[in-house]
Short mmCIF file of all heavy atoms in Angstrom, two decimals:
data_model
loop_
_atom_site.label_atom_id
_atom_site.label_comp_id
_atom_site.label_asym_id
_atom_site.label_seq_id
_atom_site.Cartn_x
_atom_site.Cartn_y
_atom_site.Cartn_z
N GLY A 27 -3.58 -3.81 5.34
CA GLY A 27 -4.14 -4.55 6.43
C GLY A 27 -3.19 -4.71 7.58
O GLY A 27 -3.50 -5.36 8.55
N GLU A 112 -22.70 7.88 8.55
CA GLU A 112 -22.37 6.46 8.87
C GLU A 112 -21.09 6.48 9.65
O GLU A 112 -20.96 5.75 10.61
CB GLU A 112 -22.32 5.62 7.66
CG GLU A 112 -23.78 5.27 7.09
CD GLU A 112 -23.69 4.56 5.71
OE1 GLU A 112 -22.57 4.47 5.22
OE2 GLU A 112 -24.75 4.12 5.32
N THR A 113 -20.11 7.29 9.10
CA THR A 113 -18.81 7.30 9.76
C THR A 113 -19.04 7.93 11.08
O THR A 113 -18.26 7.54 12.09
CB THR A 113 -17.77 8.12 8.92
OG1 THR A 113 -17.77 7.53 7.61
CG2 THR A 113 -16.30 8.07 9.46
N GLU A 115 -21.48 7.88 13.13
CA GLU A 115 -22.08 6.81 13.91
C GLU A 115 -21.05 5.81 14.45
O GLU A 115 -21.03 5.43 15.62
CB GLU A 115 -23.34 6.20 13.17
CG GLU A 115 -24.16 5.32 14.04
CD GLU A 115 -25.32 4.72 13.25
OE1 GLU A 115 -25.80 5.34 12.39
OE2 GLU A 115 -25.72 3.58 13.61
N MET A 116 -20.22 5.46 13.54
CA MET A 116 -19.15 4.44 13.87
C MET A 116 -18.20 5.01 14.88
O MET A 116 -17.78 4.32 15.77
CB MET A 116 -18.34 4.01 12.58
CG MET A 116 -17.20 3.14 12.77
SD MET A 116 -15.68 4.10 13.03
CE MET A 116 -15.31 4.74 11.43
N ILE A 117 -17.89 6.27 14.76
CA ILE A 117 -16.84 7.03 15.60
C ILE A 117 -17.49 7.10 16.97
O ILE A 117 -16.84 6.85 18.01
CB ILE A 117 -16.39 8.32 15.05
CG1 ILE A 117 -15.40 7.99 13.82
CG2 ILE A 117 -15.74 9.19 16.16
CD1 ILE A 117 -15.10 9.19 13.09
N ASP A 119 -19.75 5.23 18.30
CA ASP A 119 -19.79 3.89 18.79
C ASP A 119 -18.40 3.36 19.30
O ASP A 119 -18.38 2.79 20.41
CB ASP A 119 -20.18 2.88 17.72
CG ASP A 119 -20.47 1.53 18.31
OD1 ASP A 119 -21.19 1.36 19.19
OD2 ASP A 119 -19.97 0.53 17.63
N ARG A 120 -17.33 3.75 18.70
CA ARG A 120 -16.00 3.43 19.12
C ARG A 120 -15.53 4.29 20.26
O ARG A 120 -14.74 3.93 21.03
CB ARG A 120 -15.02 3.52 17.92
CG ARG A 120 -13.64 3.03 18.17
CD ARG A 120 -12.84 3.06 16.98
NE ARG A 120 -13.24 2.03 16.02
CZ ARG A 120 -13.11 2.12 14.71
NH1 ARG A 120 -12.67 3.13 14.13
NH2 ARG A 120 -13.46 1.11 13.92
N PHE A 121 -15.92 5.62 20.15
CA PHE A 121 -15.50 6.54 21.21
C PHE A 121 -16.71 7.27 21.85
O PHE A 121 -17.06 8.35 21.59
CB PHE A 121 -14.65 7.67 20.58
CG PHE A 121 -13.46 7.33 19.75
CD1 PHE A 121 -13.53 7.25 18.32
CD2 PHE A 121 -12.32 6.97 20.37
CE1 PHE A 121 -12.43 6.95 17.60
CE2 PHE A 121 -11.12 6.57 19.62
CZ PHE A 121 -11.18 6.53 18.23
N LEU A 149 -10.37 9.71 11.09
CA LEU A 149 -11.17 8.69 10.47
C LEU A 149 -12.37 9.16 9.72
O LEU A 149 -12.87 8.43 8.91
CB LEU A 149 -11.62 7.72 11.61
CG LEU A 149 -10.48 6.85 12.32
CD1 LEU A 149 -11.04 6.14 13.53
CD2 LEU A 149 -10.04 5.85 11.27
N PRO A 153 -10.02 7.13 5.69
CA PRO A 153 -8.81 6.86 5.09
C PRO A 153 -8.49 5.30 4.89
O PRO A 153 -9.00 4.41 5.69
CB PRO A 153 -7.76 7.35 6.14
CG PRO A 153 -8.43 7.16 7.48
CD PRO A 153 -9.86 7.48 7.07
N LYS A 154 -7.70 4.97 3.88
CA LYS A 154 -7.24 3.61 3.73
C LYS A 154 -6.04 3.37 4.55
O LYS A 154 -5.82 2.27 5.10
CB LYS A 154 -6.92 3.35 2.17
CG LYS A 154 -8.02 3.52 1.29
CD LYS A 154 -7.47 3.62 -0.21
CE LYS A 154 -8.58 3.97 -1.15
NZ LYS A 154 -8.01 4.12 -2.48
N ILE A 176 -7.88 0.53 20.72
CA ILE A 176 -8.62 1.09 19.61
C ILE A 176 -7.87 1.03 18.33
O ILE A 176 -8.57 0.75 17.33
CB ILE A 176 -8.98 2.59 19.98
CG1 ILE A 176 -10.06 2.66 21.12
CG2 ILE A 176 -9.56 3.30 18.68
CD1 ILE A 176 -10.21 4.00 21.77
N ILE A 177 -6.51 1.23 18.30
CA ILE A 177 -5.82 1.04 17.14
C ILE A 177 -5.97 -0.32 16.53
O ILE A 177 -6.07 -0.54 15.36
CB ILE A 177 -4.28 1.36 17.46
CG1 ILE A 177 -4.09 2.83 17.74
CG2 ILE A 177 -3.39 0.97 16.25
CD1 ILE A 177 -2.66 3.27 18.30
N GLN A 178 -5.97 -1.42 17.50
CA GLN A 178 -6.13 -2.73 16.98
C GLN A 178 -7.51 -2.89 16.37
O GLN A 178 -7.72 -3.60 15.34
CB GLN A 178 -5.88 -3.76 18.10
CG GLN A 178 -4.40 -3.75 18.49
CD GLN A 178 -4.18 -4.63 19.72
OE1 GLN A 178 -4.53 -4.28 20.94
NE2 GLN A 178 -3.69 -5.83 19.50
N GLU A 179 -8.49 -2.39 16.99
CA GLU A 179 -9.89 -2.35 16.46
C GLU A 179 -9.95 -1.67 15.02
O GLU A 179 -10.62 -2.17 14.12
CB GLU A 179 -10.90 -1.66 17.34
CG GLU A 179 -11.18 -2.50 18.68
CD GLU A 179 -11.85 -3.81 18.26
OE1 GLU A 179 -12.77 -3.82 17.43
OE2 GLU A 179 -11.38 -4.86 18.89
N ILE A 180 -9.24 -0.58 14.92
CA ILE A 180 -9.26 0.19 13.57
C ILE A 180 -8.78 -0.85 12.55
O ILE A 180 -9.19 -0.84 11.38
CB ILE A 180 -8.38 1.50 13.66
CG1 ILE A 180 -9.19 2.50 14.54
CG2 ILE A 180 -8.06 1.98 12.36
CD1 ILE A 180 -8.35 3.63 15.00
N LYS A 181 -7.60 -1.49 12.88
CA LYS A 181 -7.05 -2.52 11.94
C LYS A 181 -8.04 -3.46 11.56
O LYS A 181 -8.26 -3.81 10.40
CB LYS A 181 -5.74 -3.08 12.45
CG LYS A 181 -5.23 -4.12 11.62
CD LYS A 181 -4.28 -5.04 12.39
CE LYS A 181 -3.87 -6.26 11.40
NZ LYS A 181 -3.01 -7.20 12.15
N LYS A 182 -8.67 -4.04 12.53
CA LYS A 182 -9.76 -5.13 12.26
C LYS A 182 -10.78 -4.75 11.40
O LYS A 182 -11.32 -5.56 10.63
CB LYS A 182 -10.33 -5.70 13.70
CG LYS A 182 -9.33 -6.52 14.48
CD LYS A 182 -9.99 -6.88 15.77
CE LYS A 182 -9.02 -7.59 16.69
NZ LYS A 182 -9.55 -7.92 18.00
N GLN A 183 -11.15 -3.50 11.44
CA GLN A 183 -12.24 -2.93 10.63
C GLN A 183 -11.77 -2.49 9.26
O GLN A 183 -12.47 -1.85 8.43
CB GLN A 183 -12.97 -1.93 11.37
CG GLN A 183 -13.75 -2.44 12.53
CD GLN A 183 -14.61 -1.34 13.24
OE1 GLN A 183 -14.72 -0.24 12.86
NE2 GLN A 183 -15.29 -1.80 14.36
N GLY A 184 -10.46 -2.80 8.91
CA GLY A 184 -10.03 -2.56 7.50
C GLY A 184 -9.05 -1.43 7.18
O GLY A 184 -8.71 -1.18 6.12
N THR A 185 -8.74 -0.67 8.34
CA THR A 185 -7.82 0.44 8.00
C THR A 185 -6.43 0.05 8.35
O THR A 185 -6.22 -0.45 9.32
CB THR A 185 -8.20 1.62 8.81
OG1 THR A 185 -9.59 2.05 8.62
CG2 THR A 185 -7.35 2.84 8.46
N THR A 186 -5.53 0.36 7.35
CA THR A 186 -4.02 0.05 7.56
C THR A 186 -3.45 1.09 8.43
O THR A 186 -3.95 2.28 8.37
CB THR A 186 -3.31 0.01 6.26
OG1 THR A 186 -4.12 -1.04 5.41
CG2 THR A 186 -1.92 -0.40 6.35
N VAL A 187 -2.48 0.83 9.28
CA VAL A 187 -2.02 1.77 10.28
C VAL A 187 -0.38 1.85 10.17
O VAL A 187 0.19 0.79 10.18
CB VAL A 187 -2.38 1.42 11.74
CG1 VAL A 187 -1.78 2.35 12.72
CG2 VAL A 187 -3.90 1.46 11.82
#
Side-chain angles (χ1 to χ4, degrees):
E112 288 171 352
T113 306
E115 191 176 328
M116 175 271 290
I117 286 166
D119 186 51
R120 185 175 287 150
F121 305 102
L149 290 169
K154 299 170 188 173
I176 290 165
I177 292 168
Q178 290 174 286
E179 285 300 314
I180 288 168
K181 175 200 168 180
K182 283 178 188 172
Q183 293 186 0
T185 303
T186 305
V187 177

